[in-house]
Amino acid sequence: MSAPDATGRFGDFGGRFVPEALMPACLELESAFVDAWSDPTFVEEYHLVLREFAGRPTPVTPLTRLSERLGIRLYAKREDLAHTGSHKINNVIGQTLLTKRMGKRRVIAETGAGQHGVATATAATFKVPMWVHVWTMCAIAVPLCTLLTIFGDRLTVFVHNIEDRGHHWCQTHHCPRFEMHRKESEVKPSP
């Protein structure tokens, strides 16, 4: 993994672009991540949990008929077979283990269609309280929240109307130091 420069940037276009109020939390998170990733025990636990809990690595399946039709060899990485049905569990497991290591009180996630929320709710298994903010329309909210509530008492689900998203983001993220935040577009110290 390549590291960002001193300003948190990767070349001209990638890097850390966050409001100044979030910088102390981002720098704290970056420092904790660098420390954790250099600790073989943390990395070993992360890989163990990915393998035994999330079903990693997922298989690569040859797409035989499509390959024959196109005259090339095609394969599909079967992320649908991962626990929670997507790659999002990878980030959530790492973030949850890091949250515990940092001594934070909870993980806060935001989700729209629900895959990030389901992955975060699943990680409540690791005894870290989870708050999942669901930004959706009514037709999706009921089945999604029903699914999220099966993950136990360490999970609190908040449902919000999608039109209120920007206002709520401003209201809830004014004090970034009290716990680790996740959102679908991944607010984090560096990409």
Side-chain angles (χ1 to χ4, degrees), residues 79-107:
E79 295 301 295
D80 58 310
L81 298 177
H83 191 34
T84 75
S86 77
H87 65 279
K88 292 165 177 67
I89 192 71
N90 299 346
N91 269 341
V92 172
I93 287 172
Q95 291 167 346
T96 302
L97 294 174
L98 188 58
T99 298
K100 285 178 70 171
R101 181 182 174 104
M102 293 173 71
K104 298 299 181 179
R105 294 188 315 219
R106 71 183 64 92
V107 171

mmCIF file of all heavy atoms in Angstrom, residues 79-107:
data_model
loop_
_atom_site.group_PDB
_atom_site.id
_atom_site.type_symbol
_atom_site.label_atom_id
_atom_site.label_comp_id
_atom_site.label_asym_id
_atom_site.label_seq_id
_atom_site.Cartn_x
_atom_site.Cartn_y
_atom_site.Cartn_z
ATOM 1 N N GLU A 79 -17.927 -11.914 -5.282
ATOM 2 C CA GLU A 79 -18.181 -11.126 -4.076
ATOM 3 C C GLU A 79 -19.570 -11.401 -3.505
ATOM 4 O O GLU A 79 -19.810 -11.190 -2.324
ATOM 5 C CB GLU A 79 -18.018 -9.641 -4.366
ATOM 6 C CG GLU A 79 -16.595 -9.255 -4.731
ATOM 7 C CD GLU A 79 -15.607 -9.601 -3.639
ATOM 8 O OE1 GLU A 79 -15.682 -9.023 -2.548
ATOM 9 O OE2 GLU A 79 -14.761 -10.471 -3.882
ATOM 10 N N ASP A 80 -20.475 -11.869 -4.342
ATOM 11 C CA ASP A 80 -21.814 -12.188 -3.863
ATOM 12 C C ASP A 80 -21.809 -13.338 -2.863
ATOM 13 O O ASP A 80 -22.754 -13.512 -2.104
ATOM 14 C CB ASP A 80 -22.735 -12.526 -5.041
ATOM 15 C CG ASP A 80 -22.208 -13.694 -5.872
ATOM 16 O OD1 ASP A 80 -21.023 -13.661 -6.259
ATOM 17 O OD2 ASP A 80 -22.974 -14.629 -6.131
ATOM 18 N N LEU A 81 -20.725 -14.112 -2.825
ATOM 19 C CA LEU A 81 -20.628 -15.231 -1.888
ATOM 20 C C LEU A 81 -20.038 -14.822 -0.536
ATOM 21 O O LEU A 81 -20.031 -15.617 0.397
ATOM 22 C CB LEU A 81 -19.780 -16.352 -2.496
ATOM 23 C CG LEU A 81 -20.344 -16.956 -3.788
ATOM 24 C CD1 LEU A 81 -19.380 -17.989 -4.339
ATOM 25 C CD2 LEU A 81 -21.718 -17.548 -3.546
ATOM 26 N N ALA A 82 -19.537 -13.596 -0.435
ATOM 27 C CA ALA A 82 -18.994 -13.113 0.839
ATOM 28 C C ALA A 82 -20.138 -12.926 1.834
ATOM 29 O O ALA A 82 -21.286 -12.680 1.458
ATOM 30 C CB ALA A 82 -18.259 -11.787 0.647
ATOM 31 N N HIS A 83 -19.807 -13.049 3.123
ATOM 32 C CA HIS A 83 -20.799 -12.799 4.166
ATOM 33 C C HIS A 83 -21.320 -11.386 3.964
ATOM 34 O O HIS A 83 -20.537 -10.461 3.838
ATOM 35 C CB HIS A 83 -20.130 -12.960 5.529
ATOM 36 C CG HIS A 83 -21.066 -12.980 6.675
ATOM 37 N ND1 HIS A 83 -22.325 -13.519 6.604
ATOM 38 C CD2 HIS A 83 -20.933 -12.516 7.934
ATOM 39 C CE1 HIS A 83 -22.918 -13.401 7.773
ATOM 40 N NE2 HIS A 83 -22.101 -12.796 8.595
ATOM 41 N N THR A 84 -22.582 -11.182 3.887
ATOM 42 C CA THR A 84 -23.326 -9.947 3.604
ATOM 43 C C THR A 84 -23.453 -9.682 2.110
ATOM 44 O O THR A 84 -24.064 -8.708 1.726
ATOM 45 C CB THR A 84 -22.762 -8.675 4.301
ATOM 46 O OG1 THR A 84 -21.581 -8.236 3.656
ATOM 47 C CG2 THR A 84 -22.539 -8.900 5.775
ATOM 48 N N GLY A 85 -22.887 -10.518 1.254
ATOM 49 C CA GLY A 85 -23.133 -10.420 -0.171
ATOM 50 C C GLY A 85 -22.398 -9.336 -0.930
ATOM 51 O O GLY A 85 -22.772 -9.002 -2.046
ATOM 52 N N SER A 86 -21.347 -8.770 -0.368
ATOM 53 C CA SER A 86 -20.580 -7.765 -1.103
ATOM 54 C C SER A 86 -19.192 -7.620 -0.484
ATOM 55 O O SER A 86 -18.897 -8.186 0.559
ATOM 56 C CB SER A 86 -21.289 -6.414 -1.082
ATOM 57 O OG SER A 86 -21.119 -5.769 0.169
ATOM 58 N N HIS A 87 -18.375 -6.806 -1.123
ATOM 59 C CA HIS A 87 -17.021 -6.548 -0.644
ATOM 60 C C HIS A 87 -17.006 -5.619 0.571
ATOM 61 O O HIS A 87 -15.976 -5.466 1.215
ATOM 62 C CB HIS A 87 -16.198 -5.903 -1.771
ATOM 63 C CG HIS A 87 -16.716 -4.550 -2.146
ATOM 64 N ND1 HIS A 87 -17.799 -4.400 -2.986
ATOM 65 C CD2 HIS A 87 -16.339 -3.317 -1.773
ATOM 66 C CE1 HIS A 87 -18.059 -3.106 -3.111
ATOM 67 N NE2 HIS A 87 -17.180 -2.425 -2.389
ATOM 68 N N LYS A 88 -18.104 -5.003 0.902
ATOM 69 C CA LYS A 88 -18.130 -3.975 1.949
ATOM 70 C C LYS A 88 -17.748 -4.516 3.328
ATOM 71 O O LYS A 88 -17.262 -3.786 4.173
ATOM 72 C CB LYS A 88 -19.498 -3.311 1.970
ATOM 73 C CG LYS A 88 -19.709 -2.485 0.701
ATOM 74 C CD LYS A 88 -21.154 -2.119 0.501
ATOM 75 C CE LYS A 88 -21.333 -1.246 -0.701
ATOM 76 N NZ LYS A 88 -21.063 -1.895 -1.971
ATOM 77 N N ILE A 89 -17.923 -5.813 3.534
ATOM 78 C CA ILE A 89 -17.561 -6.416 4.819
ATOM 79 C C ILE A 89 -16.062 -6.285 5.082
ATOM 80 O O ILE A 89 -15.633 -6.194 6.234
ATOM 81 C CB ILE A 89 -18.038 -7.892 4.892
ATOM 82 C CG1 ILE A 89 -17.929 -8.435 6.321
ATOM 83 C CG2 ILE A 89 -17.296 -8.772 3.921
ATOM 84 C CD1 ILE A 89 -18.917 -7.875 7.283
ATOM 85 N N ASN A 90 -15.234 -6.235 4.031
ATOM 86 C CA ASN A 90 -13.774 -6.087 4.208
ATOM 87 C C ASN A 90 -13.443 -4.824 4.988
ATOM 88 O O ASN A 90 -12.693 -4.858 5.961
ATOM 89 C CB ASN A 90 -13.063 -6.030 2.859
ATOM 90 C CG ASN A 90 -13.240 -7.272 2.033
ATOM 91 O OD1 ASN A 90 -13.669 -8.299 2.531
ATOM 92 N ND2 ASN A 90 -12.928 -7.170 0.773
ATOM 93 N N ASN A 91 -13.976 -3.679 4.532
ATOM 94 C CA ASN A 91 -13.718 -2.407 5.209
ATOM 95 C C ASN A 91 -14.285 -2.411 6.613
ATOM 96 O O ASN A 91 -13.640 -1.962 7.557
ATOM 97 C CB ASN A 91 -14.355 -1.244 4.432
ATOM 98 C CG ASN A 91 -13.418 -0.657 3.426
ATOM 99 O OD1 ASN A 91 -12.215 -0.830 3.493
ATOM 100 N ND2 ASN A 91 -13.980 0.046 2.461
ATOM 101 N N VAL A 92 -15.505 -2.891 6.735
ATOM 102 C CA VAL A 92 -16.181 -2.832 8.030
ATOM 103 C C VAL A 92 -15.436 -3.641 9.089
ATOM 104 O O VAL A 92 -15.292 -3.190 10.225
ATOM 105 C CB VAL A 92 -17.645 -3.292 7.897
ATOM 106 C CG1 VAL A 92 -18.303 -3.421 9.246
ATOM 107 C CG2 VAL A 92 -18.406 -2.311 7.022
ATOM 108 N N ILE A 93 -14.950 -4.815 8.726
ATOM 109 C CA ILE A 93 -14.201 -5.620 9.695
ATOM 110 C C ILE A 93 -12.946 -4.883 10.139
ATOM 111 O O ILE A 93 -12.662 -4.773 11.332
ATOM 112 C CB ILE A 93 -13.867 -7.011 9.125
ATOM 113 C CG1 ILE A 93 -15.133 -7.852 9.095
ATOM 114 C CG2 ILE A 93 -12.780 -7.702 9.942
ATOM 115 C CD1 ILE A 93 -14.984 -9.176 8.381
ATOM 116 N N GLY A 94 -12.196 -4.365 9.195
ATOM 117 C CA GLY A 94 -10.990 -3.608 9.547
ATOM 118 C C GLY A 94 -11.309 -2.398 10.405
ATOM 119 O O GLY A 94 -10.636 -2.127 11.403
ATOM 120 N N GLN A 95 -12.355 -1.666 10.037
ATOM 121 C CA GLN A 95 -12.725 -0.475 10.796
ATOM 122 C C GLN A 95 -13.221 -0.828 12.193
ATOM 123 O O GLN A 95 -12.937 -0.114 13.160
ATOM 124 C CB GLN A 95 -13.774 0.323 10.026
ATOM 125 C CG GLN A 95 -13.196 0.938 8.772
ATOM 126 C CD GLN A 95 -14.244 1.458 7.825
ATOM 127 O OE1 GLN A 95 -15.429 1.159 7.955
ATOM 128 N NE2 GLN A 95 -13.810 2.232 6.860
ATOM 129 N N THR A 96 -13.929 -1.928 12.311
ATOM 130 C CA THR A 96 -14.425 -2.339 13.626
ATOM 131 C C THR A 96 -13.275 -2.776 14.530
ATOM 132 O O THR A 96 -13.219 -2.395 15.708
ATOM 133 C CB THR A 96 -15.468 -3.456 13.485
ATOM 134 O OG1 THR A 96 -16.535 -2.975 12.649
ATOM 135 C CG2 THR A 96 -16.022 -3.871 14.831
ATOM 136 N N LEU A 97 -12.361 -3.553 13.993
ATOM 137 C CA LEU A 97 -11.188 -3.948 14.789
ATOM 138 C C LEU A 97 -10.374 -2.726 15.199
ATOM 139 O O LEU A 97 -9.876 -2.642 16.321
ATOM 140 C CB LEU A 97 -10.327 -4.943 14.008
ATOM 141 C CG LEU A 97 -10.971 -6.304 13.728
ATOM 142 C CD1 LEU A 97 -10.069 -7.145 12.827
ATOM 143 C CD2 LEU A 97 -11.289 -7.043 15.016
ATOM 144 N N LEU A 98 -10.247 -1.759 14.289
ATOM 145 C CA LEU A 98 -9.510 -0.532 14.608
ATOM 146 C C LEU A 98 -10.260 0.300 15.648
ATOM 147 O O LEU A 98 -9.649 0.869 16.552
ATOM 148 C CB LEU A 98 -9.264 0.275 13.334
ATOM 149 C CG LEU A 98 -8.342 1.479 13.463
ATOM 150 C CD1 LEU A 98 -6.965 1.075 13.986
ATOM 151 C CD2 LEU A 98 -8.212 2.189 12.115
ATOM 152 N N THR A 99 -11.574 0.349 15.542
ATOM 153 C CA THR A 99 -12.392 1.066 16.524
ATOM 154 C C THR A 99 -12.153 0.506 17.926
ATOM 155 O O THR A 99 -11.960 1.253 18.890
ATOM 156 C CB THR A 99 -13.891 0.958 16.167
ATOM 157 O OG1 THR A 99 -14.102 1.569 14.901
ATOM 158 C CG2 THR A 99 -14.768 1.629 17.197
ATOM 159 N N LYS A 100 -12.170 -0.828 18.047
ATOM 160 C CA LYS A 100 -11.908 -1.468 19.343
ATOM 161 C C LYS A 100 -10.509 -1.128 19.838
ATOM 162 O O LYS A 100 -10.311 -0.793 21.002
ATOM 163 C CB LYS A 100 -12.063 -2.979 19.214
ATOM 164 C CG LYS A 100 -13.484 -3.455 19.120
ATOM 165 C CD LYS A 100 -13.583 -4.947 18.943
ATOM 166 C CE LYS A 100 -13.178 -5.672 20.204
ATOM 167 N NZ LYS A 100 -13.471 -7.118 20.146
ATOM 168 N N ARG A 101 -9.541 -1.215 18.948
ATOM 169 C CA ARG A 101 -8.152 -0.946 19.318
ATOM 170 C C ARG A 101 -7.978 0.486 19.813
ATOM 171 O O ARG A 101 -7.209 0.744 20.731
ATOM 172 C CB ARG A 101 -7.256 -1.221 18.112
ATOM 173 C CG ARG A 101 -5.785 -1.002 18.352
ATOM 174 C CD ARG A 101 -5.020 -1.270 17.051
ATOM 175 N NE ARG A 101 -3.628 -0.955 17.168
ATOM 176 C CZ ARG A 101 -2.662 -1.847 17.291
ATOM 177 N NH1 ARG A 101 -2.939 -3.135 17.324
ATOM 178 N NH2 ARG A 101 -1.406 -1.466 17.382
ATOM 179 N N MET A 102 -8.706 1.426 19.176
ATOM 180 C CA MET A 102 -8.610 2.837 19.550
ATOM 181 C C MET A 102 -9.394 3.163 20.819
ATOM 182 O O MET A 102 -9.266 4.255 21.362
ATOM 183 C CB MET A 102 -9.114 3.714 18.393
ATOM 184 C CG MET A 102 -8.243 3.675 17.155
ATOM 185 S SD MET A 102 -8.980 4.565 15.762
ATOM 186 C CE MET A 102 -8.808 6.267 16.333
ATOM 187 N N GLY A 103 -10.216 2.223 21.288
ATOM 188 C CA GLY A 103 -11.019 2.469 22.485
ATOM 189 C C GLY A 103 -12.214 3.369 22.240
ATOM 190 O O GLY A 103 -12.730 3.988 23.172
ATOM 191 N N LYS A 104 -12.683 3.444 21.005
ATOM 192 C CA LYS A 104 -13.842 4.280 20.689
ATOM 193 C C LYS A 104 -15.117 3.601 21.161
ATOM 194 O O LYS A 104 -15.178 2.389 21.327
ATOM 195 C CB LYS A 104 -13.914 4.563 19.180
ATOM 196 C CG LYS A 104 -12.711 5.321 18.650
ATOM 197 C CD LYS A 104 -12.581 6.665 19.315
ATOM 198 C CE LYS A 104 -11.387 7.434 18.770
ATOM 199 N NZ LYS A 104 -11.255 8.739 19.382
ATOM 200 N N ARG A 105 -16.155 4.394 21.372
ATOM 201 C CA ARG A 105 -17.392 3.872 21.959
ATOM 202 C C ARG A 105 -18.309 3.168 20.975
ATOM 203 O O ARG A 105 -19.091 2.310 21.367
ATOM 204 C CB ARG A 105 -18.180 5.024 22.586
ATOM 205 C CG ARG A 105 -17.474 5.639 23.758
ATOM 206 C CD ARG A 105 -18.367 6.634 24.449
ATOM 207 N NE ARG A 105 -19.039 7.507 23.496
ATOM 208 C CZ ARG A 105 -19.247 8.790 23.684
ATOM 209 N NH1 ARG A 105 -18.848 9.363 24.781
ATOM 210 N NH2 ARG A 105 -19.863 9.505 22.792
ATOM 211 N N ARG A 106 -18.286 3.555 19.698
ATOM 212 C CA ARG A 106 -19.205 2.957 18.729
ATOM 213 C C ARG A 106 -18.733 3.261 17.325
ATOM 214 O O ARG A 106 -17.881 4.105 17.120
ATOM 215 C CB ARG A 106 -20.630 3.466 18.928
ATOM 216 C CG ARG A 106 -20.849 4.904 18.527
ATOM 217 C CD ARG A 106 -22.264 5.386 18.809
ATOM 218 N NE ARG A 106 -22.577 5.399 20.208
ATOM 219 C CZ ARG A 106 -22.406 6.446 21.016
ATOM 220 N NH1 ARG A 106 -21.922 7.564 20.548
ATOM 221 N NH2 ARG A 106 -22.713 6.361 22.288
ATOM 222 N N VAL A 107 -19.339 2.567 16.374
ATOM 223 C CA VAL A 107 -19.152 2.854 14.962
ATOM 224 C C VAL A 107 -20.461 3.443 14.460
ATOM 225 O O VAL A 107 -21.539 2.931 14.780
ATOM 226 C CB VAL A 107 -18.809 1.575 14.151
ATOM 227 C CG1 VAL A 107 -18.829 1.857 12.655
ATOM 228 C CG2 VAL A 107 -17.444 1.042 14.566
#
